[in-house]
Amino acid sequence: MTKKINYKIFSENQWVFPDDILDGFDESLLSLDIARGGNVMIQVLTDTSVSVSDEFSLHVDNANGIRVIPYQLIPVTIHRNSAPKGKPGSTSNYEEVKDFVTRKAPFDVYDATVPMKEKLAYSGRLAFALRFTASRELEPSVQSIKVTLQTGGKEYVIPITLTVHKATIPELKDSRLTVVNWVRPSSLVEHSGSERHSEAYWETYKKLLSHMVDIRNNHLSIAESWKRIPDEAIRDENGRIIDFDLAPYEKALQLAEKAGMTKLYGPYIAHWAKWSEKEIYLLWDWEKKWRITDAEAYRQLKIYFQRIKEMIERNGWQDKYIQPLCDEPQFPNVEDYRTLCGIVRQLFPEVVIHDPVEVYNIAGAAEIICIKQAIYEKYLDEFKELQSLGQRMTYYACGFPAGPTMNRTLDLPLFVGRLSFWMCHRYNFEGYLHWGYHVEGGFDNTNHAGTMAPGNHSIVYYSDVIGDYVDTVRSNNQRAGAEDWELLEIIKEKNEPLAQALVEKCCRTFDDYETDWRKIDGVRKEIFKYADEYSDQKV
């Protein structure tokens, strides 16, 4: 008599849905590959309903130098699909987007990954993920690991064959990949339930930093979109800015450095009022609209950058500090942006400027320009020429455009967020930036019903039940993509055409990529093969 199987295994590159049925068992998904210092995850869907406070236990046999971390998968509700190609936001018209979205909205999908401890925190159909983390000191080997999980009155025995590869993921401090997600103080205020810069605020911020570092986010950027942190400027009795208090910001950067961030970004200092106008204004005294060419703007900038230099010197951040100036310069205001870069360099010659930009006629303005993915491909020849001249580049994704363009939204294939890091090799970018890390209030009271593309605003959630940030299968994909980048970098240093060919098997452009998770899993095994082969070879 055939024993009934009470669970189904899913790849870390697959979406799992609460209405999925246990219609088969793919034993190949129990054979996993992991780099030393790396991670891999599987997802498990069961036929069991569990309740809050159900007891939970985990037992792991035969794991040598491997840590196993269990997470309960929690669904979120998607009310609207991502918008059609070239448009921002979301749509309720499925016919416009059926060629690229995974499901017609509304639907539920497992996204949040809540740590499983002695008791469960959420009720519903039991789905869980097992994350395997390998020590860097391990010898290459094949391990037969048995994971036994008990909860809801049932026992789940998961036999894993784990191949530990020779290739090694470097420590975060040694990575050459730039990974930036924005931290928003207003969201920290909301999640901490307290005032800005209170003790509870800083404790919530430290929890967020821990999650960021865990998914290989190594550059810290604090930004309220393009708005200012409101309490920096010091004014006289007439409201005239006479100084700046950077103490709270300095503390934020100090905590980030302590958490493991390798680069520390200053806040934006200027912006345009309308994208179609030529003027860029200082963000202080916004209602007065001091254009960056005004003498008053220069006076304020002199004071501000004197305080920035003092902060850097106090903390020894000469090799860590990076200064954004203006979020998304446009073609009409690119000359004002160039002028701003020149003024800042005159005031602070050593500063490294890094900004998201939507223009190509910007040669020589900033040390590092961060190009929106769709803008890069629209002006591909112009940007490649800049790169050939030595212009350093990263790239970013945000809410526009939506459509099939690579992003980490909830109705595109899950692995698209992972392939975003492969594209850094495809186009020789130094790294990747996304604004939406923790913006939404939390999945406990959120259903992704807004006008943004679903999930664009966050890849971690704040849980009022847990009292902490919780990761998602999409944030796991960020870590996985960053680790893939490291393996591809090993190959690229010895055989760049091979690395490029492996990337192009899965993604050619930001809109042209494989949509079958099985192909992604298969190419990843090839990447391990070659990364192992080249690991001991000298350049």
Side-chain angles (χ1 to χ4, degrees):
M1 182 176 179
T2 302
K3 182 180 179 181
K4 181 182 177 181
I5 296 174
N6 59 355
Y7 64 80
K8 182 177 179 179
I9 302 294
F10 291 79
S11 166
E12 66 180 346
N13 290 318
Q14 275 180 281
W15 282 120
V16 184
F17 301 95
D19 60 358
D20 280 335
I21 59 174
L22 307 187
D23 58 351
F25 193 82
D26 187 346
E27 290 191 1
S28 68
L29 293 176
L30 295 172
S31 296
L32 305 176
D33 297 270
I34 195 169
R36 295 184 293 180
N39 298 266
V40 67
M41 191 172 83
I42 61 168
Q43 301 175 90
V44 184
L45 182 65
T46 79
D47 60 1
T48 303
S49 292
V50 294
S51 300
V52 170
S53 298
D54 277 356
E55 293 185 353
F56 160 79
S57 67
L58 181 78
H59 187 74
V60 180
D61 293 308
N62 305 321
N64 174 31
I66 301 292
R67 183 184 179 198
V68 181
I69 308 171
Y71 301 92
Q72 186 179 0
L73 295 175
I74 310 299
V76 298
T77 300
I78 314 305
H79 280 269
R80 293 167 61 89
N81 285 118
S82 297
K85 180 176 174 62
K87 295 183 179 180
S90 61
T91 181
S92 58
N93 186 351
Y94 175 68
E95 291 301 312
E96 292 184 305
V97 298
K98 63 183 180 181
D99 292 339
F100 66 85
V101 300
T102 55
R103 279 198 173 193
K104 179 181 179 180
F107 64 90
D108 288 351
V109 61
Y110 288 108
D111 187 37
T113 54
V114 176
M116 297 175 77
K117 299 182 180 178
E118 294 181 357
K119 293 183 182 294
L120 299 184
Y122 290 88
S123 299
R125 185 178 183 182
L126 177 63
F128 59 91
L130 297 174
R131 172 184 167 189
F132 299 85
T133 302
S135 165
R136 287 185 180 82
E137 287 67 45
L138 272 178
E139 291 296 321
S141 62
V142 178
Q143 299 192 24
S144 297
I145 300 172
K146 184 173 77 171
V147 180
T148 304
L149 185 147
Q150 292 180 323
T151 192
K154 291 191 177 181
E155 179 178 272
Y156 303 92
V157 180
I158 318 289
I160 299 293
T161 301
L162 185 66
T163 299
V164 180
H165 287 265
K166 180 186 298 184
T168 304
I169 305 299
E171 293 185 41
L172 192 59
K173 66 180 179 64
D174 298 321
S175 177
R176 290 181 290 181
L177 175 68
T178 295
V179 183
V180 189
N181 287 281
W182 281 4
V183 172
R184 294 189 69 176
S186 59
S187 295
L188 288 171
V189 168
E190 176 187 352
H191 299 155
S192 65
S194 63
E195 295 181 358
R196 192 184 298 262
H197 305 146
S198 66
E199 183 177 346
Y201 173 96
W202 290 120
E203 288 304 311
T204 302
Y205 172 63
K206 286 189 281 188
K207 290 177 180 178
L208 183 65
L209 289 173
S210 176
H211 283 263
M212 298 181 89
V213 169
D214 185 48
I215 61 171
R216 297 187 73 81
N217 193 134
N218 58 354
H219 287 209
L220 188 280
S221 181
I222 298 179
E224 293 281 11
S225 182
W226 52 267
K227 299 176 184 176
R228 296 300 305 169
I229 297 173
D231 52 0
E232 292 179 334
I234 298 174
R235 303 172 186 272
D236 65 15
E237 63 276 9
N238 298 315
R240 183 172 184 259
I241 292 175
I242 57 172
D243 209 342
F244 295 92
D245 177 14
L246 300 184
Y249 199 80
E250 183 172 3
K251 180 174 180 177
L253 298 187
Q254 288 170 340
L255 291 173
E257 180 182 39
K258 185 176 181 180
M261 297 291 180
T262 58
K263 298 291 183 181
L264 308 171
Y265 288 49
Y268 292 109
I269 63 174
H271 207 263
W272 36 266
K274 293 182 180 180
W275 69 269
S276 58
E277 295 179 349
K278 64 181 181 180
E279 295 86 4
I280 289 179
Y281 306 99
L282 289 188
L283 290 175
W284 313 292
D285 280 346
W286 181 251
E287 68 283 354
K288 295 182 180 178
K289 295 294 187 294
W290 297 115
R291 190 176 178 183
I292 52 90
T293 53
D294 292 335
E296 173 61 18
Y298 182 66
R299 185 188 71 82
Q300 293 185 21
L301 287 169
K302 285 193 70 172
I303 300 170
Y304 183 76
F305 277 99
Q306 180 59 39
R307 299 293 173 259
I308 288 288
K309 286 190 281 187
E310 291 167 358
M311 179 183 72
I312 291 171
E313 291 168 2
R314 274 195 303 273
N315 292 278
W317 289 338
Q318 287 83 353
D319 295 329
K320 289 189 175 182
Y321 187 81
I322 292 175
Q323 182 67 59
L325 300 181
C326 176
D327 186 24
E328 297 185 328
Q330 305 291 315
F331 284 106
N333 48 62
V334 71
E335 291 307 316
D336 260 23
Y337 178 75
R338 283 183 170 280
T339 300
L340 176 60
C341 290
I343 292 171
V344 171
R345 283 211 184 84
Q346 187 263 331
L347 296 171
F348 191 3
E350 301 84 8
V351 72
V352 173
I353 299 170
H354 178 199
D355 277 316
V357 305
E358 296 197 359
V359 296
Y360 63 79
N361 55 336
I362 201 169
E367 277 73 21
I368 311 168
I369 55 176
C370 187
I371 315 298
K372 184 185 287 186
Q373 81 282 60
I375 295 294
Y376 182 85
E377 290 183 336
K378 183 177 181 180
Y379 302 106
L380 187 63
D381 291 342
E382 289 85 352
F383 282 121
K384 283 189 172 181
E385 181 180 4
L386 284 183
Q387 287 174 300
S388 73
L389 295 172
Q391 174 66 63
R392 297 172 62 188
M393 289 187 192
T394 59
Y395 89 93
Y396 74 102
C398 63
F400 177 81
T405 304
M406 279 188 189
N407 212 325
R408 51 199 193 190
T409 48
L410 283 152
D411 61 349
L412 289 180
L414 172 59
F415 54 77
V416 171
R418 182 175 197 155
L419 294 183
S420 294
F421 290 86
W422 296 30
M423 292 298 287
C424 290
H425 282 296
R426 177 76 178 90
Y427 286 140
N428 291 313
F429 296 127
E430 294 183 15
Y432 172 77
L433 176 149
H434 200 291
W435 75 277
Y437 186 75
H438 69 134
V439 176
E440 195 62 49
F443 71 92
D444 300 324
N445 53 19
T446 294
N447 60 15
H448 299 280
T451 58
M452 288 185 182
N456 180 62
H457 48 54
S458 51
I459 58 167
V460 303
Y461 300 110
Y462 188 81
S463 167
D464 295 324
V465 173
I466 304 298
D468 193 359
Y469 288 97
V470 296
D471 289 308
T472 63
V473 291
R474 291 175 299 136
S475 64
N476 174 75
N477 252 243
Q478 172 173 302
R479 178 177 51 241
E483 291 183 5
D484 292 343
W485 184 93
E486 301 288 357
L487 298 175
L488 286 163
E489 182 72 359
I490 293 171
I491 300 168
K492 182 179 179 180
E493 287 185 341
K494 316 299 190 306
N495 190 337
E496 186 169 355
L498 174 59
Q500 195 67 249
L502 289 166
V503 170
E504 291 179 25
K505 284 187 176 185
C506 293
C507 40
R508 275 70 61 184
T509 72
F510 286 113
D511 288 346
D512 177 17
Y513 48 82
E514 291 299 331
T515 57
D516 185 346
W517 62 267
R518 296 172 186 82
K519 292 182 180 178
I520 309 301
D521 281 3
V523 172
R524 187 168 174 273
K525 288 184 179 293
E526 289 188 73
I527 290 172
F528 271 114
K529 173 182 178 294
Y530 291 112
D532 282 352
E533 180 180 324
Y534 290 123
S535 285
D536 288 338
Q537 293 186 15
K538 295 182 179 180
V539 179

